[in-house]
Amino acid sequence: MKWVWQALMDAFERLVGGLLERNGYWVKYSFKVELSRTEKRRIGRPSCPRWEIDVLAYKPASNELLAVECKSYLDSPGVRYAAIASSDHRRSDRYKLFNDALLRRTVLRRLTKQLERVRSCRKSPKVRLCLAAGRVVSEKDRERLKSYFDSRGWLFFDKEWIRAGLEAYAGGGFENDVVAVVAKLLLRGTSSPATRLKDEDAE
């Protein structure tokens, strides 16, 4: 069943990436960060492979770089606040970039240098760590996560953010894109009042 889980994660990452592209970002998936041997020793992982970021998004206009970790968790209880805020939680290893400050600084610094070297971004981009979550264990955890991320300048993309993005797709013109087509099939005529008004005007 591992291939099923991987396919689900790939689809979720493509969904998140598609919504970011609509907002002016260029996107790369499963981006490998080339840590040096010294950096690997510094973070206590001398034999680890290249660090992988699920979705990398960059907006040239604002020189903003997003490193997005994706957790769909559609068939599980969902993301827990405690696992992200504490490195001692039994599931904290799933969120290393969020609860290991040394690892986070090392990976994001190398990521910036790597992109600057090949001129994939402008000098000194504003780097923001993000989490895209299809499911959170409770409403209380969701509110705590939003507050926690805001206090650190990170971005939290929850199901409300995803739905708003899909509604924007559903209310727009035709695009030959999987995210856009699915949004129109599922949400056109059944989403927000603003989207329904656009649909009625187009008829």
Side-chain angles (χ1 to χ4, degrees):
M1 294 298 292
K2 183 177 180 181
W3 68 270
V4 176
W5 175 84
Q6 186 60 54
L8 179 61
M9 282 304 302
D10 289 345
F12 186 66
E13 291 169 11
R14 295 286 167 173
L15 170 61
V16 172
L19 296 178
L20 289 171
E21 285 181 327
R22 187 177 177 85
N23 284 283
Y25 293 88
W26 63 246
V27 171
K28 290 183 179 294
Y29 301 94
S30 301
F31 187 85
K32 304 296 193 301
V33 181
E34 305 281 358
L35 295 175
S36 68
R37 290 182 180 177
T38 300
E39 289 168 331
K40 290 179 181 181
R41 287 195 295 270
R42 185 186 304 146
I43 61 176
R45 296 172 171 85
S47 60
C48 76
R50 295 177 295 176
W51 194 270
E52 183 175 300
I53 295 175
D54 294 333
V55 178
L56 184 66
Y58 177 66
K59 181 180 286 188
S62 58
N63 199 26
E64 184 179 36
L65 183 64
L66 307 183
V68 188
E69 292 289 297
C70 294
K71 305 292 183 184
S72 61
Y73 286 170
L74 300 180
D75 292 321
S76 74
V79 176
R80 297 176 183 275
Y81 166 78
I84 288 181
S86 173
S87 59
D88 296 327
H89 191 274
R90 63 192 179 92
R91 289 191 173 91
S92 63
D93 62 336
R94 301 179 183 181
Y95 309 97
K96 297 183 184 72
L97 283 181
F98 298 94
N99 53 48
D100 186 331
L102 177 60
L103 173 66
R104 181 170 61 251
R105 288 195 303 269
T106 302
V107 169
L108 296 184
R109 185 182 298 121
R110 173 53 56 188
L111 169 66
T112 302
K113 291 181 179 179
Q114 188 173 328
L115 292 174
E116 287 179 341
R117 186 176 67 248
V118 296
R119 298 184 180 180
S120 289
C121 70
R122 290 156 51 194
K123 288 290 186 180
S124 304
K126 180 180 181 180
V127 185
R128 304 184 76 176
L129 186 60
C130 315
L131 175 66
R135 187 180 179 94
V136 178
V137 70
S138 69
E139 183 60 25
K140 180 180 179 181
D141 275 55
R142 190 172 79 90
E143 291 301 322
R144 294 181 74 184
L145 282 167
K146 288 173 65 176
S147 177
Y148 185 74
F149 273 57
D150 285 345
S151 70
R152 284 157 178 74
W154 302 343
L155 296 177
F156 181 51
F157 302 144
D158 62 0
K159 66 179 182 180
E160 298 305 323
W161 177 86
I162 293 169
R163 183 176 180 84
L166 289 174
E167 287 183 348
Y169 258 120
F174 176 77
E175 296 182 39
N176 188 21
D177 177 89
V178 172
V179 177
V181 172
V182 171
K184 291 180 186 298
L185 287 172
L186 296 182
L187 297 177
R188 177 162 275 187
T190 63
S191 52
S192 68
T195 301
R196 288 198 295 271
L197 182 59
K198 289 182 179 179
D199 293 340
E200 292 167 2
D201 289 343
E203 292 177 351

